Amino acid sequence: MASLAPLPHPRPSLSPTRRFRTLSLRSVAPRLFVSNAIAGGTSLHWPQKEKINLSKYVNESFHEEGDWESLDADVYHWTRSLRPVQWYPGHIAKAEKELKEQLKLMDVVIEVRDARIPMATSHPQMDSWLGNRKKILVLNREDMISTADRNSWANFFTRQGIKVVFANGQLGMGTMKLGRLAKLLATGVNTKRRAKGLLPRPVRAGIVGYPNVGKSSLINRLLRRRMCPAAPRPGVTRQLKWVRFGKDLEFLDSPGILPMRIRDQAAAIKLAICDDIGERSYDAADVAAILVQMLTRLPAVEAKCYCFISSCQVANCTRWFPTGSDTLCKRYRIDSDGRCGKIFLEKLALHLFNGDVSHAAVRVLSDFRKGKFGWIALERPPR
């Protein structure tokens, strides 16, 4: 039997057998403890689990295991047998052509994405359109993701040197910071104009992004009045519109811009789940089934305690459910045994909607979009 390499620090001599056992226990014990905390085995009861910071162990284990990469691969596999999700109405083609012309007038470009799916709501041609123009990235709907997800994306974009602002267009969070940052990045514009003997002008900021990511809502919150049409569905804004914010800043509201053909169908399904693409482009039952399968793969979901547990008396309390399956079970009082989304929808339809699967699918999608399942991101930063 070959002898093991010496330990880096002086320690009492151990026999090869004892040394092997010592190293094995050090490497295996923490993993077994974390797995037990996540899975909710019989050795720990809920009162004991609540004393443990489950989010810490869940996030560390989730990143180390590489489950997000595996989940993305599974979503790609699930979508192969479905009808492709494509949506490119006529007003988008017209708006894309006009937007390219207006980009020449912009000092700063504000790209708005959905915080639940920042990569799926990234236009593949956006960087080539912008060129060297200064850009601010806004992740809207920050209220629908957990603090851990928010911190992960903030670190990811900061390492890339991208200015990122987390916002909530419905409540106005982050809008004032966005306005100040846009002015700050464009201060050089009027400096050059003064050097040439020209009068200063307002900073021009264009707001671009996918449909229904909250572009118009952000502008309305900044202006504190309804200047741009906004509604919780894609395709409401159909033409470009300049609006003035005080004397120093102008915003260009633009329709949502999608690629003519979405090649990544895993990203297209996520757009459908988050309602960032027209509902005529997909079958709700197929999309809801994939959402259920994605939730059952998530090891933990942070949810509002009062949504599910009547005995909790703490206002705005949060609780970590061990798996997405438990979240579905608590919400609908149905066991999600197995990981087949269609079977779960059929059981939900029989339980609540007299066997109407399409109605059950719409209900699941609506509950997710309203945050009824908790703070869930469908993407994490790539490694």
Side-chain angles (χ1 to χ4, degrees):
M1 178 177 177
S3 61
L4 295 177
L7 295 173
H9 302 288
R11 297 177 182 271
S13 59
L14 297 174
S15 66
T17 305
R18 290 185 62 191
R19 187 179 299 171
F20 177 78
R21 289 176 180 173
T22 303
L23 295 175
S24 300
L25 288 174
R26 286 173 185 166
S27 60
V28 173
R31 185 174 298 277
L32 290 175
F33 175 76
V34 173
S35 175
N36 190 27
I38 295 173
T42 55
S43 60
L44 288 177
H45 300 288
W46 268 116
Q48 294 172 290
K49 292 180 185 178
E50 290 173 347
K51 299 178 182 178
I52 301 174
N53 186 2
L54 289 181
S55 61
K56 175 182 176 182
Y57 294 110
V58 165
N59 291 328
E60 292 178 355
S61 176
F62 207 36
H63 285 295
E64 293 173 0
E65 297 292 336
D67 286 348
W68 282 102
E69 288 82 356
S70 175
L71 178 59
D72 288 339
D74 287 339
V75 174
Y76 173 78
H77 175 73
W78 297 332
T79 59
R80 294 183 62 182
S81 61
L82 303 181
R83 174 173 62 88
V85 177
Q86 302 292 345
W87 192 63
Y88 195 75
H91 76 273
I92 289 184
K94 179 182 177 182
E96 181 178 324
K97 182 179 179 180
E98 294 177 352
L99 180 61
K100 291 178 181 178
E101 294 296 325
Q102 293 293 327
L103 282 173
K104 302 175 183 178
L105 306 175
M106 297 180 189
D107 304 314
V108 180
V109 176
I110 301 171
E111 183 185 2
V112 183
R113 301 185 193 177
D114 192 322
R116 297 167 294 181
I117 47 173
M119 304 305 291
T121 48
S122 173
H123 199 292
Q125 298 178 329
M126 185 61 67
D127 290 337
S128 62
W129 293 346
L130 300 184
N132 296 325
R133 289 177 180 82
K134 297 178 180 179
K135 184 180 84 169
I136 302 172
L137 178 61
V138 176
L139 297 185
N140 195 29
R141 302 190 179 111
E142 70 155 348
D143 58 311
M144 304 194 75
I145 62 174
S146 68
T147 303
D149 292 324
R150 184 186 186 277
N151 293 339
S152 296
W153 283 111
N155 294 333
F156 173 74
F157 288 115
T158 300
R159 288 195 301 267
Q160 294 185 339
I162 299 176
K163 301 286 186 181
V164 60
V165 175
F166 288 85
N168 179 355
Q170 295 295 324
L171 301 179
M173 297 171 58
T175 54
M176 299 307 295
K177 179 181 178 181
L178 176 61
R180 291 193 300 269
L181 186 57
K183 294 179 184 179
L184 179 63
L185 291 181
T187 51
V189 174
N190 286 321
T191 302
K192 294 179 181 179
R193 289 178 63 85
R194 292 189 185 96
K196 296 178 181 179
L198 300 175
L199 294 175
R201 63 166 175 79
V203 173
R204 297 168 182 162
I207 298 186
V208 299
Y210 271 41
N212 201 35
V213 293
K215 301 181 297 296
S216 299
S217 297
L218 286 173
I219 294 179
N220 290 336
R221 279 293 178 178
L222 269 169
L223 301 177
R224 297 183 180 178
R225 60 184 184 276
R226 188 180 179 87
M227 292 293 295
C228 303
R233 65 178 185 276
V236 174
T237 303
R238 292 179 173 267
Q239 59 184 359
L240 280 72
K241 181 180 180 181
W242 284 98
V243 292
R244 176 72 68 89
F245 179 61
K247 298 180 180 180
D248 303 325
L249 190 59
E250 290 180 349
F251 286 108
L252 176 65
D253 186 27
S254 63
I257 304 295
L258 284 169
M260 182 179 294
R261 183 173 182 81
I262 304 177
R263 302 186 182 277
D264 186 354
Q265 283 301 297
I269 287 294
K270 294 174 186 176
L271 294 175
I273 291 174
C274 296
D275 201 20
D276 294 332
I277 196 170
E279 60 181 6
R280 295 184 180 180
S281 64
Y282 59 86
D283 181 81
D286 291 337
V287 173
I290 290 182
L291 171 60
V292 171
Q293 290 171 188
M294 292 181 71
L295 292 177
T296 57
R297 291 291 305 277
L298 298 180
V301 174
E302 188 179 11
K304 291 184 179 180
C305 190
Y306 59 78
C307 287
F308 308 103
I309 306 169
S310 59
S311 60
C312 181
Q313 302 297 325
V314 181
N316 297 324
C317 178
T318 60
R319 178 176 180 136
W320 281 87
F321 290 96
T323 63
S325 300
D326 293 334
T327 303
L328 291 170
C329 178
K330 295 292 183 181
R331 178 66 183 172
Y332 300 116
R333 308 297 181 184
I334 297 176
D335 268 341
S336 57
D337 49 345
R339 294 185 175 182
C340 181
K342 290 186 177 180
I343 293 178
F344 180 84
L345 290 180
E346 291 172 357
K347 293 167 66 175
L348 179 62
L350 291 173
H351 182 62
L352 296 178
F353 303 107
N354 296 323
D356 189 343
V357 176
S358 61
H359 197 174
V362 172
R363 174 66 175 273
V364 170
L365 291 175
S366 176
D367 285 349
F368 173 79
R369 293 163 182 171
K370 294 177 181 178
K372 300 295 185 179
F373 299 146
W375 294 285
I376 303 175
L378 300 183
E379 292 179 344
R380 291 300 288 268
R383 295 184 177 182

